[in-house]
């Protein structure tokens, strides 16, 4: 039996990997793989050598295939090794990046927490302020309700006063009628007493006593108590030519009869007369030259104003009573009327174009009337009094507004420019007496005392004594009492 031949093939591989699965070699080392191929050659005849070489070739082909596969696997393992190279450094950089990211997240979270703290503080402050505002609104609402109740009470009181005044006026008329009838009765009784005295005269010597008419009753004797009492009453009563007012004064104990031989004269002031009103201005016709300038004007800004005056006009409409203009606006304060408006109406202007139309029809009868226009910037309230009677009122008119100082104040004309631009159709024709202005709102009691001549309210900022320039045909008249003014 032949001994088989032993053939050895050696393959040198590079790439840092050795033979065997999972074997890892240092980089750059060389491993040798020894493949032993045994071939058993039996002592066979020569004719059988050919198949042996064929088998050897097949084995070589298989070996080459195995070598290629092994090389492919080794290259794959080498590529995986290259990918895993320096992975620690990469993990370390990733860890650093994650730490930096965590630090940034922590910083962002701290900033968000700080912003949330500020927001919570602001919310608390806002909540406190809202509660304060709510309490103020509640207090303001309570104050407004109290004021509305007070106004309602004032209206009721004013209505009661009006009713009392109307009933008093009715009682006064009834008393005047009663006094007039009493005067007629007294006059008739005086005539009858004169007739009786003529019949009771004692006849002298040689005269005959006239006979009583048969239809007349027997006259009382001269010593009759009834006749003597009638004579005393007749002597005490005023003469029939006296007015009922004088008779009423006599009944009240205020009238004194004239002495013997003296003629009765009218007292300088009767009840109902208005005196001590100061100078009066007469505007005779509608002319742009008839103008009065008051100086100085308003030295300070006005948040309240009262304008009162006695007015008499014979024209069919009311002209412009007062005009106050500045460089900024020529209609800062105007009591304006013209022939194109309805008769008796006037525009009360504060800071053009805001105005209110006031009814002044009672002023067109040619008699003296007292007028007061009052305004305050608080709630924009305004009032119009004519002869002590409230004829118009309102609110929300120039609320919070202030009339500026330093303008031009004119009576009788409407200014289209500061100190000029007059129009004759807007001129005032009539008389003005006792005009005065206050930088506050007069109360009804002050208006009533001013209209009756009892008391002049203190604190007037302008009067007709401030008339610095009187132009055109305007006349300035000093009259003691209102009835004596032209």
């Amino acid at each position: 039996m032949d001994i088989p031949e032993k053939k050895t093939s050696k393959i040198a591989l590079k790439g840092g990997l050795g033979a065997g699965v999972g074997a890892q070699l240092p980089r750059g080392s060389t491993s040798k793989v020894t493949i032993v191929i045994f071939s058993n050659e039996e002592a066979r005849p020569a004719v059988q050598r050919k198949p042996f070489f064929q088998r050897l070739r097949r084995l070589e082909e298989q070996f080459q295939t195995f070598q290629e596969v092994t090389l492919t696997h080794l290259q794959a393992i080498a590529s995986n090794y290259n990918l895993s190279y320096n992975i620690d450094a990469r993990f370390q950089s990733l860890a650093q990046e994650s730490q930096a990211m965590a630090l940034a997240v922590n910083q962002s979270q701290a900033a968000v927490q700080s912003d949330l703290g500020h927001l919570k503080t602001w919310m608390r402050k806002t909540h406190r302020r809202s509660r304060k505002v709510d309490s103020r609104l509640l207090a303001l609402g309570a104050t407004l309700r109290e004021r509305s109740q007070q106004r309602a009470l004032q209206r009721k009181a004013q209505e009661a006063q009006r009713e009392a005044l109307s009933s008093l006026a009715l009682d006064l008329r009834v008393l005047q009628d009663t006094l007039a009838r009493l005067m007629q009765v007294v006059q008739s009784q005086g005539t009858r007493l004169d007739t009786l005295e003529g019949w009771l005269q004692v006849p002298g010597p040689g005269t005959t006593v006239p006979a009583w008419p048969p239809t007349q009753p027997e006259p009382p004797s001269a010593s009759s108590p009834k006749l003597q009492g009638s004579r005393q009453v007749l002597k005490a009563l005023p003469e029939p030519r006296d007015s009922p007012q004088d008779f009423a004064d006599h009944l009240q104990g205020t009238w004194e009869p004239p002495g013997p031989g003296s003629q009765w004269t009218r007292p300088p002031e009767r009840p109902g007369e208005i005196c001590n009103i100061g100078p009066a201005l007469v505007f005779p016709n509608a002319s742009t030259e008839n103008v009065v300038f008051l100086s100085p004007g308003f030295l300070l800004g006005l948040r309240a104003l009262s304008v009162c005056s006695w007015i008499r006009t014979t024209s069919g409409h009311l002209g412009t009573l007062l005009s106050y203009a500045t460089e900024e606006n020529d209609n800062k304060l105007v009591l304006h009327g013209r022939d194109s408006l309805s008769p008796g109406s006037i525009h009360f202007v504060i800071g053009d174009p805001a105005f209110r139309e006031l009814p002044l029809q009672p002023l067109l009868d040619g008699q003296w009337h007292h007028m007061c226009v009052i305004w305050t910037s608080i709630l924009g309230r305004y009032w119009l009094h004519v002869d002590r009677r409230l004829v118009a009122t309102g609110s929300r008119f120039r609320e919070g507004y202030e009339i500026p100082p330093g303008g031009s104040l004119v009576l009788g004309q409407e200014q289209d420019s500061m100190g000029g631009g007059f129009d004759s159709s807007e001129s005032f024709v009539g008389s003005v007496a006792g005009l005065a202005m206050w930088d506050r709102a007069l109360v009804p009691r002050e208006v009533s005392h001013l209209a009756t001549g009892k008391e002049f309210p203190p604190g007037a900022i302008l009067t007709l004594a401030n008339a610095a320039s009187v132009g055109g045909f305007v006349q300035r008249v000093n009259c003691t009492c209102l009835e004596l003014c032209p």
Side-chain angles (χ1 to χ4, degrees), residues 378-392:
I378 301 175
L379 299 178
R381 295 297 307 272
Y382 68 92
W383 300 267
L384 171 64
H385 295 266
V386 176
D387 297 331
R388 299 185 301 169
R389 181 172 174 264
L390 181 65
V391 298

Side-chain angles (χ1 to χ4, degrees), residues 212-344:
W212 291 96
T215 58
Q216 295 287 341
E218 183 179 0
S221 61
S223 61
S224 173
K226 183 177 181 180
L227 182 59
Q228 292 177 359
S230 300
R231 287 178 179 176
Q232 291 176 1
V233 173
L234 182 62
K235 290 178 181 179
L237 291 174
E239 295 184 5
R241 68 174 179 269
D242 296 331
S243 63
Q245 182 65 39
D246 297 332
F247 182 71
D249 295 338
H250 167 73
L251 292 179
Q252 296 173 1
T254 59
W255 186 85
E256 296 181 359
S262 64
Q263 186 176 2
W264 182 80
T265 59
R266 179 178 177 272
E269 180 178 351
R270 296 182 302 179
E273 282 189 344
I274 308 299
C275 296
N276 300 323
I277 60 172
L281 298 176
V282 181
F283 297 81
N285 54 17
S287 173
T288 57
E289 297 180 357
N290 297 338
V291 60
V292 175
F293 288 88
L294 298 183
S295 180
F298 301 144
L299 301 179
L300 299 174
L302 301 180
R303 291 188 174 272
L305 178 69
S306 298
V307 181
C308 298
S309 177
W310 287 94
I311 297 174
R312 179 167 69 179
T313 179
T314 57
S315 176
H317 68 280
L318 290 171
T320 303
L321 301 177
L322 180 144
S323 173
Y324 178 70
T326 62
E327 294 290 348
E328 178 186 1
N329 191 338
D330 57 356
N331 290 324
K332 284 295 184 181
L333 171 64
V334 185
L335 291 175
H336 167 250
R338 59 183 299 158
D339 53 6
S340 61
L341 297 176
S342 59

Side-chain angles (χ1 to χ4, degrees), residues 290-481:
N290 297 338
V291 60
V292 175
F293 288 88
L294 298 183
S295 180
F298 301 144
L299 301 179
L300 299 174
L302 301 180
R303 291 188 174 272
L305 178 69
S306 298
V307 181
C308 298
S309 177
W310 287 94
I311 297 174
R312 179 167 69 179
T313 179
T314 57
S315 176
H317 68 280
L318 290 171
T320 303
L321 301 177
L322 180 144
S323 173
Y324 178 70
T326 62
E327 294 290 348
E328 178 186 1
N329 191 338
D330 57 356
N331 290 324
K332 284 295 184 181
L333 171 64
V334 185
L335 291 175
H336 167 250
R338 59 183 299 158
D339 53 6
S340 61
L341 297 176
S342 59
S345 66
I346 192 169
H347 283 177
F348 178 34
V349 183
I350 294 182
D352 189 39
F355 74 94
R356 292 292 185 271
E357 187 170 348
L358 304 180
L360 292 175
Q361 286 82 5
L363 273 65
L364 299 179
D365 59 356
Q367 302 297 325
W368 282 106
H369 293 279
H370 189 262
M371 178 195 73
C372 271
V373 179
I374 303 171
W375 168 81
T376 175
S377 63
I378 301 175
L379 299 178
R381 295 297 307 272
Y382 68 92
W383 300 267
L384 171 64
H385 295 266
V386 176
D387 297 331
R388 299 185 301 169
R389 181 172 174 264
L390 181 65
V391 298
T393 184
S395 61
R396 304 297 180 187
F397 177 46
R398 279 304 189 182
E399 182 178 358
Y401 185 76
E402 179 178 311
I403 301 175
S408 173
L409 187 58
V410 168
L411 300 180
Q413 299 288 343
E414 197 276 328
Q415 304 177 80
D416 287 338
S417 60
M418 188 171 174
F422 305 142
D423 187 354
S424 60
S425 63
E426 300 172 336
S427 301
F428 173 75
V429 179
S431 301
V432 176
L435 185 140
M437 301 182 192
W438 292 263
D439 57 355
R440 60 184 180 90
L442 298 182
V443 298
R445 180 176 177 273
E446 292 176 315
V447 175
S448 178
H449 286 183
L450 182 61
T452 54
K454 292 182 180 179
E455 183 181 1
F456 188 82
I461 58 175
L462 286 172
T463 63
L464 287 184
N466 298 101
S469 174
V470 178
F473 300 96
V474 179
Q475 301 176 4
R476 181 169 181 167
V477 181
N478 294 321
C479 44
T480 57
C481 295

Side-chain angles (χ1 to χ4, degrees), residues 65-130:
T65 304
F66 175 76
Q67 187 179 8
E68 291 176 358
V69 171
T70 303
L71 183 60
T72 302
H73 284 289
L74 291 176
Q75 289 177 351
I77 292 172
S79 63
N80 291 333
Y81 175 79
N82 292 333
L83 288 176
S84 62
Y85 175 73
N86 206 13
I87 194 168
D88 294 336
R90 293 184 181 180
F91 274 117
Q92 187 176 1
S93 65
L94 287 175
Q96 292 177 355
E97 290 178 358
S98 64
Q99 290 178 357
M101 186 177 296
L103 181 61
V105 169
N106 292 333
Q107 292 178 353
S108 177
Q109 187 176 5
V112 170
Q113 292 294 336
S114 177
D115 293 340
L116 287 176
H118 290 302
L119 183 59
K120 289 179 181 179
T121 305
W122 181 79
M123 289 292 291
R124 286 195 295 268
K125 291 181 180 179
T126 305
H127 185 61
R128 293 173 186 171
R129 291 177 182 175
S130 63

